[in-house]
Amino acid sequence: MTDISSRAGAIPYQVDASAPQWFVDNIQCESESIFTYVDGRAVHMLGWNLAEKNLPVLMFVHGFGAHAHWWSFLAPFFLDHYRVISLDLPGMGDSAAPHCYDQYSFARAIIAGIESQQLQEVTVVGHSFGGAQSLRAMAMAPHYFKRGIVVDSNINLPPDPPIRSLLPKGTHRLSSSQADCMARLRLMPPQAQQVDALVRHIAYHSCTGNEQGWHWKSDPNCLNTGEIDGPEILASVEVKVDLIYGEKSYFNVNKKPQKILSHLGNAGELVMIPGAEHHIMVDHPLELVAAIRSLLASE
């Protein structure tokens, strides 16, 4: 990862006084920083327990514009039973932007991360945009995967209108310091509740600095190519796929989760987390962990 500690305006990482003790304990679990390459472009991952070759593999994939640290404070909950990887999708976090964005750019990175570590029978957990990309990866390379868990993803099915392509920003908006950059973080879609210490952790790892100022790590020209419109990819996924949605999520409308489940080729369970909104890891993190654990226990 990029070392930003000596940059002008950099601040040391500090845990909020309000942080729950489980969070303090979890972020003290050291991870490895690993790079692989797709078409000569770096793809970054965080890894825990990777030397424990006897353990199965759990891979976490974040949403659009996010990064591996959206999962890093939850990953240690699974270290008793898994080797764990949290991936930065291309153009986000510490992964380089691809030469061009196409519908397979992100799924190829997931597959490359698995291949680089010579992993087999991976269980992949993808949130939002990362859930759609995990489904694509499972459809492209089913032999690598044991199971999928899709968390609050916006997958459109007829007669829903197609998912709109996000317009690239073109350039970074600069802040004078890391603290100012962090203060700009807003959850999208917005939601009413969050654990502030978790959001601050995410914000800290969202910013980087250069001679001109501080800005988001994510590529300002990143495109949300690879979204899923229609049932074809869902039906083609051979491995079992479970769904987790927030009861109050922006995407829990018109029975969307139930419709998605009905189109999966190998449908598992639908778990609805009471009171949770879209960003479940920052408003109901322990409930999300419990839901994932429960699904994993049913293997």
Side-chain angles (χ1 to χ4, degrees):
M1 286 186 291
T2 305
D3 180 11
I4 61 175
S5 60
S6 62
R7 305 271 178 91
I11 56 177
Y13 183 81
Q14 293 182 327
V15 177
D16 282 8
S18 63
Q21 188 59 47
W22 64 260
F23 171 82
V24 177
D25 295 340
N26 280 2
I27 63 171
Q28 292 175 357
C29 293
E30 292 188 8
S31 61
E32 298 179 53
S33 191
I34 308 160
F35 285 89
T36 187
Y37 294 85
V38 177
D39 298 330
R41 309 295 285 176
V43 174
H44 175 255
M45 301 175 286
L46 298 175
W48 295 259
N49 264 2
L50 296 185
E52 302 296 329
K53 303 297 185 182
N54 60 311
L55 295 178
V57 180
L58 189 61
M59 173 182 273
F60 290 102
V61 184
H62 60 78
F64 188 77
H67 48 75
H69 284 282
W70 279 71
W71 287 109
S72 65
F73 52 87
L74 298 183
F77 279 123
F78 301 92
L79 298 185
D80 286 348
H81 301 290
Y82 290 91
R83 287 176 283 164
V84 178
I85 287 176
S86 185
L87 179 114
D88 281 327
L89 290 171
M92 307 179 213
D94 290 304
S95 289
H99 295 291
C100 66
Y101 291 100
D102 62 48
Q103 62 181 332
Y104 303 111
S105 297
F106 306 103
R108 282 198 300 266
I110 294 171
I111 294 168
I114 292 170
E115 291 177 338
S116 72
Q117 298 300 303
Q118 299 180 320
L119 307 176
Q120 296 289 336
E121 294 195 319
V122 174
T123 295
V124 60
V125 181
H127 174 244
S128 195
F129 182 77
Q133 306 320 305
S134 298
L135 287 165
R136 281 192 177 275
M138 286 185 278
M140 291 167 62
H143 52 288
Y144 287 134
F145 296 94
K146 181 179 183 180
R147 189 173 190 171
I149 300 175
V150 171
V151 181
D152 223 90
S153 290
N154 182 28
I155 296 165
N156 274 11
L157 298 166
D160 294 342
I163 298 172
R164 67 184 177 90
S165 296
L166 299 177
L167 296 176
K169 297 177 182 177
T171 58
H172 286 296
R173 174 183 167 186
L174 297 179
S175 299
S176 59
S177 68
Q178 186 179 10
D180 289 343
C181 181
M182 290 170 58
R184 288 173 41 216
L185 183 74
R186 299 291 184 274
L187 298 178
M188 294 298 295
Q191 57 186 55
Q193 52 185 326
Q194 63 185 38
V195 179
D196 290 339
L198 311 188
V199 176
R200 188 176 186 280
H201 172 87
I202 288 167
Y204 183 88
H205 292 286
S206 297
C207 298
T208 189
N210 58 28
E211 294 75 13
Q212 287 76 41
W214 287 80
H215 57 81
W216 302 132
K217 288 183 177 180
S218 56
D219 174 20
N221 291 303
C222 193
L223 299 174
N224 63 326
T225 54
E227 298 271 25
I228 295 179
D229 284 312
E232 293 79 14
I233 291 175
L234 304 183
S236 72
V237 177
E238 299 174 3
V239 300
K240 184 178 180 181
V241 177
D242 302 288
L243 306 180
I244 299 174
Y245 276 75
E247 177 196 19
K248 296 183 178 180
S249 170
Y250 185 83
F251 298 129
N252 183 24
V253 293
N254 301 323
K255 296 191 178 296
K256 180 189 287 284
Q258 292 83 353
K259 291 175 184 176
I260 294 168
L261 193 72
S262 72
H263 285 285
L264 286 165
N266 189 352
E269 298 181 49
L270 169 60
V271 178
M272 199 68 67
I273 297 185
E277 298 181 68
H278 175 62
H279 304 285
I280 305 174
M281 66 278 291
V282 298
D283 71 354
H284 285 67
L286 297 184
E287 292 85 348
L288 176 58
V289 169
I292 295 171
R293 280 177 167 169
S294 178
L295 292 171
L296 295 174
S298 67
E299 291 179 346

